[in-house]
């Protein structure tokens, strides 16, 4: 198997090269030349296996240039050694007759990004060794909150890498900020910028595309890379947990091998739900993929009308990790439904960057609606869903997962579909404690974050993740906030380049 660009299929690489590069030089994303299949017999074999064993089996099908030993070193390092607070890594919890929550937030930073960012650095260093890379890899990240911390935890003290994270000084929650500025590790660097997420993102992009600057770093022994969700090494580990969830539901005795399930995902950059799509294409019996958005509902409109149009207001919501108007990973879906026609994808992406919109043909739109159902939910209904779910079944949802549960209920109301459905839960409620507390009718205005955590514990009875309660006593290491024009200079300083 090889990897090619979604905009030019003549650009082909092995997976190690694709992971190291991150993004194809023509601006396209790397996709596998074919989607491998998973047979019923293989799924049967996976029942009773540990998460790590399941991951080994699935990843092997995609990373065909990696040895078995290399893959199992990566999975053990990422998901073993008690790094995840659940022995199952990604456990499935039943909260209704047809409703199953797939908890993806038991990793070190309490958001689902850990599922991919714990293993990406291991893929990256393995890929560097395999391709004979001698430079030190510098990971540059602009974050709206969850990615930065998850990338820092994943890359900390990983040999041959350095990581620099920029966060918007006025855009992240207090807990998210504390998580980052107290980061430990000898190869990490964190800085606030005076601006919003777009400013941070544009600053990082400017560094990536400045050839002279890149040459200067290269001569000093560094090569820039990204931990963004466009990297194939971040997407492929996400396929594993949908297959694992299916096996768990068989183990629970709730489905039989071959039964269809639906999957519902709270969506931002379209990475998580795309992984479920790949699992379906591999042969996992998934019927409908339900795409849930918050008030930034560009994907709902896209699925319903066939037109992607980002020319609309941007809203800040209580589910900030889904506040996105350009869902980058959608490009991979387009490539697939176009029958791997890179030139068609290129045309659509050019329209998107020029006019902010593009429209699918009727045939392509039909393909999308056969696969996906799209829905959205604003902050009011997000909070109401948190309250309802807690009152009815005693389960506490975070704001992102609540969007998904609400959209799932809309789907059932509209279609009457009784298929058992896995709803991806992407964050611990403790990470968004203020919104969750106020949804539950508790005082969320008075007190610092740690008091809010205590209050949420008293209300929900859920265990507080150790990594969050420990923040209280951590030393602040990176309290700087710079002007956005100073970003290139800060990178030089962090790397000690003259
Ligand atoms: C990143 C994130 C999402 C969105 O996931 P995508 O793969 O970008 O669609 C949803 N919820 C949380 C908590 C996240 O951190």
């Amino acid at each position: 198997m090889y990897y090619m660009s979604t905009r030019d299929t003549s650009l082909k690489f092995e997976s190690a090269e694709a992971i190291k590069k991150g993004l194809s030089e023509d601006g396209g994303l790397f996709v596998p030349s074919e989607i491998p299949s998973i047979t019923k017999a293989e799924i049967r074999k996976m029942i009773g296996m540990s998460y790590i064993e399941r991951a080994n089996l699935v990843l092997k099908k995609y990373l065909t240039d990696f040895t078995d030993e290399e893959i199992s070193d990566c999975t053990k390092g990422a998901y073993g050694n008690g790094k995840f607070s659940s022995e199952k890594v990604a456990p499935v919890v039943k909260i209704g007759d047809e409703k199953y929550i797939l908890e993806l937030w038991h990793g070190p930073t309490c958001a689902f990004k850990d599922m991919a960012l714990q293993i990406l650095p291991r893929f990256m260093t393995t890929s560097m060794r395999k391709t004979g890379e001698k430079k030190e890899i510098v990971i540059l990240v602009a974050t709206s909150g969850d990615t930065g911390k998850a990338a820092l935890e994943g890359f900390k003290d990983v040999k041959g890498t350095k990581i620099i994270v920029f966060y918007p000084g006025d855009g992240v929650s207090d807990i998210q900020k504390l998580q980052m500025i107290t980061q430990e590790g000898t190869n990490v660097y964190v800085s606030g910028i005076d601006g919003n997420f777009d400013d941070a993102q544009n600053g990082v992009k400017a560094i990536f595309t400045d050839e002279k600057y890149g040459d200067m770093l290269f001569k000093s022994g560094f090569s820039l890379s990204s931990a963004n969700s466009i990297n194939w090494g971040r997407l492929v580990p996400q396929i594993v947990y949908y297959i694992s969830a299916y096996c768990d539901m068989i183990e629970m005795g709730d489905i039989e091998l071959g039964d269809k399930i639906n999957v519902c995902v709270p969506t931002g950059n379209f990475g998580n739900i795309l992984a479920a799509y790949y699992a379906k294409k591999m042969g996992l019996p998934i019927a409908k993929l339900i795409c849930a958005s918050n008030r930034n509902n560009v994907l709902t409109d896209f699925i319903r009308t066939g037109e992607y149009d980002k020319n609309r207001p941007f809203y800040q919501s209580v589910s900030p990790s889904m506040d996105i108007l350009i869902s980058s990973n959608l490009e991979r879906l387009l490539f697939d439904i176009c029958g791997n026609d890179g030139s068609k994808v290129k045309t659509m992406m050019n329209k998107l960057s020029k006019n902010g919109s593009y429209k699918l043909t009727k045939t392509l739109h039909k393909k999308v609606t056969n696969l996906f159902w799209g829905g959205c939910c604003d902050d009011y209904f997000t909070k109401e869903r948190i309250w309802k779910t807690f009152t009815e079944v005693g389960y506490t949802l975070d704001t992102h997962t609540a969007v998904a549960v609400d959209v799932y209920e809309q789907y059932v109301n509209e279609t009457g579909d009784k298929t058992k459905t896995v709803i991806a839960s992407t964050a611990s409620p403790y990470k968004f404690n203020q919104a969750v507390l106020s949804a539950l009718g508790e005082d969320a205005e008075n007190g610092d974050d740690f008091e809010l955590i205590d209050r949420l514990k008293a209300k929900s009875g859920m265990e507080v993740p150790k990594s969050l309660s420990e923040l209280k006593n951590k030393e602040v290491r990176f309290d700087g906030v710079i002007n956005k024009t100073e970003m290139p200079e800060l990178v030089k300083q962090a790397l000690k380049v003259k």
Side-chain angles (χ1 to χ4, degrees):
M1 179 182 296
Y2 56 88
Y3 287 80
M4 53 196 180
S5 162
T6 46
R7 300 185 195 179
D8 180 354
T9 50
S10 68
L11 295 170
K12 292 175 188 170
F13 302 95
E14 291 202 296
S15 72
E17 196 68 36
I19 289 171
K20 197 178 79 182
K21 282 181 186 300
L23 188 70
S24 173
E25 51 241 66
D26 63 341
L29 311 189
F30 287 117
V31 280
S33 52
E34 74 226 68
I35 313 270
S37 62
I38 185 154
T39 63
K40 239 180 169 176
E42 283 173 313
I43 298 176
R44 181 174 294 123
K45 208 167 85 188
M46 288 167 89
I47 304 166
M49 277 188 180
S50 70
Y51 190 84
I52 289 176
E53 289 168 315
R54 289 171 181 169
N56 289 342
L57 224 151
V58 176
L59 293 173
K60 208 164 116 162
K61 292 174 181 285
Y62 285 96
L63 311 179
T64 46
D65 50 330
F66 280 51
T67 65
D68 286 358
E69 199 189 346
E70 284 168 341
I71 289 180
S72 76
D73 282 350
C74 289
T75 54
K76 261 192 247 155
Y79 306 119
N81 309 319
K83 281 209 156 176
F84 281 70
S85 65
S86 163
E87 203 195 320
K88 296 212 71 114
V89 178
V92 175
V93 180
K94 183 171 182 170
I95 63 161
D97 285 346
E98 291 94 25
K99 244 186 301 187
Y100 296 79
I101 300 282
L102 171 57
E103 294 182 344
L104 300 172
W105 41 260
H106 289 279
T109 77
C110 308
F112 98 100
K113 304 271 190 307
D114 288 327
M115 297 302 299
L117 280 164
Q118 278 298 310
I119 201 162
L120 177 71
R122 294 164 212 276
F123 286 160
M124 195 87 91
T125 47
T126 311
S127 300
M128 283 157 63
R129 200 172 59 234
K130 294 175 80 65
T131 55
E133 177 67 57
K134 296 282 186 306
K135 302 281 179 201
E136 200 165 4
I137 299 272
V138 180
I139 306 288
L140 279 192
V141 182
T143 184
S144 58
D146 289 336
T147 302
K149 177 59 184 180
L152 285 163
E153 265 313 303
F155 279 94
K156 82 168 176 210
D157 296 329
V158 172
K159 274 210 192 89
T161 72
K162 288 208 158 46
I163 173 160
I164 305 171
V165 171
F166 294 102
Y167 68 88
D170 48 6
V172 300
S173 82
D174 291 349
I175 286 277
Q176 286 175 322
K177 181 171 167 190
L178 251 187
Q179 279 186 308
M180 288 188 276
I181 64 178
T182 58
Q183 178 64 44
E184 292 166 357
T186 53
N187 64 335
V188 304
Y189 211 91
V190 177
S191 175
I193 63 143
D194 59 353
N196 60 23
F197 171 61
D198 280 336
D199 296 322
Q201 174 117 309
N202 289 338
V204 164
K205 271 194 195 149
I207 294 176
F208 268 110
T209 48
D210 184 339
E211 261 177 57
K212 247 169 83 191
Y213 190 85
D215 280 350
M216 182 272 300
L217 288 184
F218 200 74
K219 286 199 189 104
S220 313
F222 298 107
S223 175
L224 291 175
S225 189
S226 143
N228 200 286
S229 75
I230 49 180
N231 192 314
W232 178 253
R234 253 189 81 174
L235 202 75
V236 68
Q238 301 188 284
I239 300 171
V240 176
Y241 47 71
Y242 292 109
I243 299 174
S244 176
Y246 189 84
C247 295
D248 282 347
M249 285 167 76
I250 297 175
E251 267 177 34
M252 290 154 73
D254 285 34
I255 55 168
E256 287 187 35
L257 184 57
D259 286 353
K260 294 233 171 182
I261 60 166
N262 293 331
V263 172
C264 176
V265 184
T267 308
N269 217 5
F270 209 76
N272 203 2
I273 193 164
L274 184 73
Y277 170 73
Y278 282 131
K280 176 178 163 69
K281 275 217 85 168
M282 288 175 79
L284 192 73
I286 294 176
K288 210 73 180 180
L289 295 156
I290 302 165
C291 178
S293 303
N294 63 26
R295 197 177 168 202
N296 296 292
N297 58 357
V298 60
L299 284 168
T300 312
D301 291 346
F302 170 70
I303 292 169
R304 294 189 177 177
T305 68
E307 178 167 31
Y308 195 97
D309 187 359
K310 78 167 185 76
N311 302 308
R312 59 179 73 212
F314 172 87
Y315 301 109
Q316 279 191 320
S317 76
V318 291
S319 45
S321 302
M322 297 158 68
D323 292 343
I324 278 183
L325 290 181
I326 299 190
S327 300
S328 316
N329 269 300
L330 192 60
E331 182 168 345
R332 287 188 163 110
L333 177 75
L334 296 177
F335 181 77
D336 208 59
I337 60 172
C338 284
N340 295 6
D341 187 338
S343 63
K344 272 195 192 144
V345 174
K346 197 171 167 180
T347 308
M348 288 191 268
M349 291 302 112
N350 285 343
K351 280 189 185 155
L352 179 64
S353 71
K354 207 162 142 246
N355 312 325
S357 70
Y358 60 86
K359 198 166 168 47
L360 296 181
T361 61
K362 269 217 175 79
T363 324
L364 286 181
H365 182 219
K366 184 90 188 102
K367 280 190 187 175
V368 169
T369 49
N370 282 341
L371 293 160
F372 294 88
W373 193 89
C376 57
C377 147
D378 66 10
D379 282 356
Y380 176 83
F381 285 103
T382 304
K383 287 187 167 181
E384 189 184 71
R385 186 56 63 186
I386 292 174
W387 179 79
K388 258 191 172 160
T389 306
F390 183 76
T391 321
E392 284 166 11
V393 293
Y395 187 88
T396 312
L397 301 166
D398 98 286
T399 46
H400 303 75
T401 313
V403 169
V405 173
D406 195 76
V407 168
Y408 166 72
E409 299 293 351
Q410 294 174 37
Y411 169 78
V412 172
N413 278 338
E414 190 175 305
T415 61
D417 186 358
K418 290 275 188 226
T419 308
K420 294 195 164 86
T421 299
V422 168
I423 301 169
S425 173
T426 50
S428 158
Y430 282 108
K431 241 187 143 162
F432 300 95
N433 49 45
Q434 193 175 22
V436 175
L437 267 178
S438 81
L440 296 176
E442 299 288 310
D443 173 15
E445 299 307 320
N446 303 301
D448 67 15
D449 262 296
F450 298 101
E451 287 168 272
L452 296 192
I453 284 179
D454 288 342
R455 232 172 273 154
L456 185 54
K457 178 167 192 255
K459 178 80 182 176
S460 70
M462 276 177 89
E463 215 179 303
V464 182
K466 227 171 90 201
S467 59
L468 294 187
S469 53
E470 280 172 0
L471 279 179
K472 200 170 181 171
N473 305 315
K474 283 237 162 104
E475 177 202 346
V476 172
R477 296 184 63 202
F478 305 100
D479 56 0
V481 176
I482 58 165
N483 189 286
K484 62 188 177 215
T485 55
E486 296 167 335
M487 288 169 68
E489 192 50 41
L490 187 128
V491 170
K492 278 169 72 176
Q493 273 174 23
L495 300 176
K496 301 193 171 65
V497 172
K498 290 274 175 321

